[in-house]
Amino acid sequence: MILTANIWPGATLAATSQPLGQSVSFSNVEARADSIAVLSALLLVAQREGDFPSLLKGLSEKERESRTIQDDMLALMDRMDPQLARRGGDLAAFLVEPPNLLKPTNLKQTLQVLLPFIQTIPESLAAFGAFCLSAGLMLRQDGEYALAGRYFEKASGTLSPLATHALYLAVESGARSHEPDRMLKLLKALDETAAPDYLRRRGRLVVALALCDAGRDSDALGLLESLLKADLNAGDRTRVAAALARLYERRGDYEMAATSNAQAFETGSSNGEAVEAARAYLRLVKEGRTGEDASRTLSAARCLMRAGLRSEAASLFGKLFHAKKPRLEAGWELARLHYRMKKYAEAKDVFLALGRLEKDAGGSLQIKLWVARCERQLTNTEVAIELFRRVAFDGKRVKYSEAAWELGLELESLRRLREAAEVYQLLGAQLPETRLGQESLWRKGLCEYKLGAIGEAEVAFTSLLKGEPTDWLHDAALFWLLKCSAERGSPVSSAELEKEKRRSESLYGLLLESLSNVVALDSLRTGSARIGDRVRSEILKSPWKDWRLGQGDGLGRVPAAKLTAPSPPATDVLLLSPSGPGGTELSEGLPPRAQGGALLLEFGLRDLAIEELRGCEREFSGRTDVLFLLAQLYWRHGLYKQAMLVAERLANGGQGMDEGEKRFLERMLYPICYADVLLPESRAQAVDPFLALAVMKRESTFDPGAQSSASATGLMQLMPETAGAIAAYLGEDTRKLDLRDPGTNLRYGIWHLGRLIGRYSDSVVTALAAYNAGEENAERWTRAARGASSNDGFVYMESVAFRETREYIRLVLADLQVYRKLYLY
């Protein structure tokens, strides 16, 4: 039976054992599929004999039959397993595309034979438009752009809701097959349609770049210049400006070429076109074809630096800084670049040189602070501390708060806790209304706690609570005040938790909520105080000490049944009800434009679909019902980041939602993604899968294509050298690594996370610090955490010297708390 092979293992059994609906069952799907198989054989005979009238009649009959079978099959899939819904487009294509049903030995040859017949198909046959679009996409994937373009053009003439998108694809194929005249004709046709603005703009961009590459400068010039006035993203603006620069240089207009190159690398983009534009500008200057502009050279150096070409950038910064008229901005860039490259001695020398030139008092203080940082990194500890102190204070008066804060953190990391507490006290007393002042008072309490001076710590935390701190600091101070009570052996009472009830969504707010629940439970149970004390002790001390699967208190055991899709609200209708070849008929609440976006997703055209659906989001921004459906549509097609953004918008405006809708949004904001890789890899590495999800959420927002300025890539934001080392250790080919592939990235990321947890004696907090800031820093903070209970994860977390890493750990652990609350309890 031809359908069975295209269904996931186990799906047939699930379908036969659980008929869905009044008439939908796998048996009637099989019966209809058998009739299609017979019909397909007849179509094959008609095609071989060139009997086009019989072929057209048979296709119409097959269209009617396949529409019903798609409805039934996709209804089954949607109920059997949420992830099967993603295969709906594949299955629909399998049922209705002649290339699959005819099983050609040579796809290109078969489609070439069919092409004359395709031109005779009437435009009213929408089903055949879907076939043409599918065939074109298959040919494009194989690099057969010229033939693909013919199929796209035919699809654009049908009644398909994707007709204008098919015309755009025909334009794009014409560009790739180097058919400029055909491409221009198709672009003119696209401009005359009712296509969305973004589609026409993309068409002009593709054509303009292709014409420029083909040397058709007179045709390309007007298009490129008009595009620079359009609403382009940074990457496309860079591509257009770089193409204009090439065009002007070919014409010998070097000044305009230099200006266009500058427009390309000044966009803030760091893609290949921006880098080439920067180098082209520098070449024109070197060849004497244009005069050098120091501001442009500085921008070019910054572009190279953003692209990771640090040596080239440093050379340019140095040239500008050491010129007869030094550019101070270049000196700052050079000094900070040396610092990031861990060339601390060179950075210090440049900062000292800047200090001799800087006239502004504020700038001089900032330079001195950087010199102190360099001395710290060069392990000249006492020199660094003295410099921090001189910059920070004028006697007992705070002169530069940022320097005072860093002095406190440095003393704390050296375990000179009494000195650190004194610095924090001065800073908090003089800046009581600021975030830095409030946080300094909190850190004074932390220092006292680590010194064992519990009474002094309580005074600091209580003082902070009286000063109207921000929500997260309020929760943090209250939590540590309760830790002080527990350290003295005092029980945590419900009164203590309720008297200051302001719960933020921070880690400490979530933990206070957990404590409140335990205390409330104890008050209802007789004789359960001992159990409550143990749980409270764990929450207050280190709930992350042992979260490896199958160990500890068992909270890390995650049943596979929990790793499921979020259920839609009870009030929501079934979103996808397939109808038509390769298409999707949406519920009545979804606008036609969104239906087009859903169809684009079915065909795998994600970039175009996202553009279409974002336009729909803007158009219906006030329609909660539409946004609910869009969020679900994104999720079902694996676009988790887009689903989360819509869910956040709904949650922020969440008046009038019932509990089912709120819970649906919560699960959309904290989704279970890539479960087919996540669960087996988590079990293999003994890592809580919810921890892996929390890391993924903070690293990439579940975007497999995410890339940082430091070249960290993919779901778990792995550095190429880290991934290469893992691949080499596992005996895998390091030359074929694709870190944008979700399976590869997630497998390596979980392996790396599991190794770090094992290295640090099952301390999840330390492992997260190492994941974010490196193992060398993690070990330094381990030393700084000593002085209090060595297995207290909170002490370690708050001993981390980098604000970014402290906040990263808190955010990941807060997300982990929410995941466990949503899916386990």
Side-chain angles (χ1 to χ4, degrees), residues 631-688:
Q632 190 180 350
L633 178 63
Y634 280 134
W635 190 94
R636 290 191 175 202
H637 286 273
L639 297 170
Y640 302 113
K641 181 176 181 178
Q642 287 76 13
M644 286 175 60
L645 292 174
V646 177
E648 281 177 359
R649 183 188 303 179
L650 285 164
N652 291 336
Q655 296 86 0
M657 287 190 291
D658 60 32
E659 288 304 313
E661 290 171 330
K662 289 177 182 177
R663 188 162 181 81
F664 170 71
L665 287 182
E666 283 180 326
R667 293 201 172 199
M668 195 72 75
L669 289 167
Y670 292 87
I672 302 294
C673 304
Y674 310 104
D676 54 334
V677 178
L678 173 75
L679 190 56
E681 291 299 326
S682 296
R683 293 197 184 283
Q685 304 305 327
V687 172
D688 187 326

Side-chain angles (χ1 to χ4, degrees), residues 548 678 682 685-696 699 716 718 722 726 745-760 762-772 775 808 812 816:
R548 293 165 77 80
L678 173 75
S682 296
Q685 304 305 327
V687 172
D688 187 326
F690 292 124
L691 177 62
L693 285 163
V695 170
M696 226 191 305
E699 291 287 353
M716 301 286 278
L718 292 173
T722 302
I726 295 171
N745 194 288
L746 192 50
R747 184 162 60 88
Y748 282 19
I750 292 174
W751 188 94
H752 181 46
L753 187 59
R755 183 187 69 82
L756 291 173
I757 294 173
R759 173 173 181 174
Y760 297 114
D762 293 346
S763 172
V764 169
V765 182
T766 313
L768 289 175
Y771 197 96
N772 180 260
E775 295 173 49
Y808 171 82
V812 170
L816 180 53

Side-chain angles (χ1 to χ4, degrees), residues 509-522:
L510 292 167
L511 292 171
L512 286 172
E513 182 183 357
S514 297
L515 277 170
S516 296
N517 292 340
V518 171
V519 170
L521 189 63
D522 277 355

Side-chain angles (χ1 to χ4, degrees), residues 691-768:
L691 177 62
L693 285 163
V695 170
M696 226 191 305
K697 187 176 191 294
R698 287 299 156 185
E699 291 287 353
S700 66
T701 327
F702 306 109
D703 178 7
Q707 183 155 3
S708 75
S709 58
S711 298
T713 303
L715 291 171
M716 301 286 278
Q717 286 293 276
L718 292 173
M719 294 295 290
E721 53 269 27
T722 302
I726 295 171
Y729 181 86
L730 297 175
E732 298 178 1
D733 191 345
T734 58
R735 297 168 299 177
K736 296 182 179 179
L737 282 181
D738 180 8
L739 294 180
R740 294 180 187 273
D741 173 62
T744 300
N745 194 288
L746 192 50
R747 184 162 60 88
Y748 282 19
I750 292 174
W751 188 94
H752 181 46
L753 187 59
R755 183 187 69 82
L756 291 173
I757 294 173
R759 173 173 181 174
Y760 297 114
S761 304
D762 293 346
S763 172
V764 169
V765 182
T766 313
L768 289 175

